[in-house]
Amino acid sequence: MLSDDDQTTHIDEIVETIVYLYTESRRLTKQAAREIGLTGPQLTVLKLLDTLGDVSLSSLSERIRAQNSTVTGIIDRMEREGLVVRERSTADRRVVYIRLTEKGRELARSVPVEPMEIFRTVLSTLSSDDTRDLLRVLGKLGKRVRALVREHEAVSADDRRKAAGS
Amino acid sequence: MLSDDDQTTHIDEIVETIVYLYTESRRLTKQAAREIGLTGPQLTVLKLLDTLGDVSLSSLSERIRAQNSTVTGIIDRMEREGLVVRERSTADRRVVYIRLTEKGRELARSVPVEPMEIFRTVLSTLSSDDTRDLLRVLGKLGKRVRALVREHEAVSADDRRKAAGS
DNA sequence: CCGGAATACTTCGTACACGAAACTTTCGCC
DNA sequence: GGCGAAAGTTTCGTGTACGAAGTATTCCGG
């Protein structure tokens, strides 16, 4: 049995470590991107497009967990550099597909780095047991956070409903 | 024994989940901050100052894993709002200490939210075993990433040395 | 089939976020 | 004691990052 103090210390350490892993991984992606004249997010988008093929701007946003307005800017700059083109869908003229140009594709293939590279590299050195444990516990965490968020959003929505009705 | 495919899938899931936990936690901090007219980083700084007392700008930067130039801006805006004051150290006149004003302190104490709040909340619901497993594996990851980064930085430094010498 | 809700994207304003360069002050060494 | 390197902070330029408001298009209930 762990004491409350131990538990608190452990939580701090876990948060510390996850923040470290995340920020460090992003920093190194950025550094790799720099070497070919790109920014971190731009490299991420480039790699995604090479992997997924043409995708709409919204699904791109969803994939990299950013708002549409953010991605609009990123694509603007990549289009300016001739790495991608925008192509309006004929089926639904609200939708914009992002397509790699030849230049963009070549650049994408010339870089060996994956998004969150260092992170993945190190993860692959874990034993099967460690990987399984990590996945098991993180899975629980993700599930519980999602549940809490849903709950929280529901309360907020209810607040707004009440406010509107008053 | 896990197959390579399983291993790759697991790595993807782990990365996915960590990115989710991190971004979601930041999003919710931002949302909490919004309710009292602050931004996410500003709330984080406010809480840190209330906990740590006066600290120099550099140590603040280090604590929140940001560059000094970033923190300068954050403090500028908080100072403009009358939440903190800058105080130049008398011992070392290069150093600037950041101090909470009364207004800042009151605001800090009026908010129950900790940085990465949701994350901590959910972590505290884990069993001792799960916490231990998580900490154990994350600890390994952190250690290995640090080692890789050190190695990498050493190579870069060597590159620069060679370039300078040529 | 038409008018309003919903969807996809862009625009705008503000706040990070970072690296490079500038500035001030301190330190180390001869 | 003085001077060059180093440390602490700020300034500047560029690129995210987000929410709110705006525009164009599609969907849907009557």
Side-chain angles (χ1 to χ4, degrees):
Chain A
M1 190 57 194
L2 297 177
S3 74
D4 284 1
D5 273 6
D6 279 354
Q7 192 74 358
T8 304
T9 307
H10 288 170
I11 290 181
D12 285 347
E13 279 179 48
I14 290 170
V15 172
E16 263 300 288
T17 306
I18 288 193
V19 171
Y20 171 73
L21 290 173
Y22 179 87
T23 55
E24 195 63 14
S25 216
R26 220 180 38 172
R27 189 177 72 80
L28 290 168
T29 301
K30 185 173 191 172
Q31 191 175 304
R34 243 183 125 61
E35 290 172 14
I36 54 168
L38 291 182
T39 64
Q42 286 173 15
L43 176 54
T44 304
V45 167
L46 203 70
K47 279 292 190 179
L48 267 181
L49 289 175
D50 189 36
T51 305
L52 302 178
D54 306 358
V55 293
S56 70
L57 190 135
S58 323
S59 41
L60 201 50
S61 311
E62 206 173 317
R63 207 71 168 55
I64 68 174
R65 290 183 196 284
Q67 303 298 316
N68 285 347
S69 50
T70 300
V71 178
T72 294
I74 295 173
I75 297 300
D76 281 350
R77 287 177 287 272
M78 291 180 75
E79 198 169 24
R80 202 175 61 205
E81 296 300 320
L83 300 172
V84 300
V85 289
R86 278 179 166 89
E87 217 158 80
R88 201 160 276 279
S89 161
T90 49
D92 183 342
R93 297 188 31 72
R94 292 170 302 181
V95 175
V96 171
Y97 283 104
I98 315 299
R99 162 167 301 170
L100 278 182
T101 60
E102 221 16 75
K103 178 179 173 188
R105 190 166 303 278
E106 278 173 23
L107 191 58
R109 305 231 161 126
S110 76
V111 190
V113 177
E114 290 300 315
M116 297 272 140
E117 174 79 0
I118 280 67
F119 205 171
R120 283 170 202 276
T121 304
V122 171
L123 275 172
S124 70
T125 70
L126 287 180
S127 71
S128 298
D129 282 353
D130 283 349
T131 304
R132 229 192 296 265
D133 284 346
L134 185 56
L135 190 54
R136 173 176 55 77
V137 182
L138 282 180
K140 279 189 196 176
L141 287 178
K143 222 169 103 183
R144 292 182 195 180
V145 167
R146 270 173 242 273
L148 260 185
V149 169
R150 261 198 308 278
E151 203 177 299
H152 187 266
E153 310 283 277
V155 171
S156 305
D158 199 51
D159 285 353
R160 280 196 299 279
R161 193 185 52 70
K162 278 183 195 147
S166 68
Chain B
M1 190 57 195
L2 297 178
S3 74
D4 283 1
D5 274 5
D6 279 353
Q7 191 74 357
T8 304
T9 306
H10 288 169
I11 289 181
D12 285 347
E13 280 180 47
I14 290 170
V15 172
E16 263 300 289
T17 306
I18 288 193
V19 171
Y20 171 73
L21 290 173
Y22 179 87
T23 55
E24 195 64 14
S25 215
R26 221 181 38 173
R27 188 177 73 78
L28 291 169
T29 301
K30 186 174 191 171
Q31 191 174 304
R34 244 183 124 61
E35 289 172 13
I36 53 169
L38 291 182
T39 64
Q42 285 173 15
L43 177 55
T44 304
V45 167
L46 203 69
K47 280 292 192 179
L48 266 181
L49 289 176
D50 189 36
T51 304
L52 302 179
D54 307 357
V55 293
S56 71
L57 190 135
S58 320
S59 40
L60 200 51
S61 312
E62 206 172 317
R63 207 70 167 56
I64 69 175
R65 289 184 196 285
Q67 302 298 316
N68 285 346
S69 49
T70 301
V71 178
T72 293
I74 295 173
I75 297 301
D76 280 350
R77 288 177 287 272
M78 292 180 74
E79 198 170 23
R80 202 174 60 206
E81 296 300 321
L83 300 172
V84 300
V85 289
R86 279 180 165 91
E87 218 159 78
R88 201 159 277 278
S89 161
T90 49
D92 182 342
R93 296 188 32 72
R94 291 171 302 181
V95 175
V96 171
Y97 282 104
I98 316 298
R99 161 166 302 169
L100 278 182
T101 61
E102 220 17 76
K103 179 179 173 188
R105 190 166 301 281
E106 279 172 24
L107 192 59
R109 304 229 161 128
S110 76
V111 190
V113 177
E114 290 299 317
M116 296 272 138
E117 175 78 0
I118 279 68
F119 204 173
R120 283 169 201 277
T121 304
V122 171
L123 274 172
S124 70
T125 70
L126 287 181
S127 71
S128 298
D129 282 353
D130 283 349
T131 304
R132 229 191 296 264
D133 283 347
L134 185 57
L135 191 53
R136 173 176 55 76
V137 182
L138 282 180
K140 279 189 197 175
L141 286 178
K143 221 169 103 183
R144 291 181 195 179
V145 167
R146 271 175 240 274
L148 260 186
V149 169
R150 260 198 308 279
E151 203 177 299
H152 187 266
E153 309 283 278
V155 171
S156 303
D158 200 52
D159 284 353
R160 281 196 298 281
R161 193 185 52 70
K162 277 183 195 148
S166 68

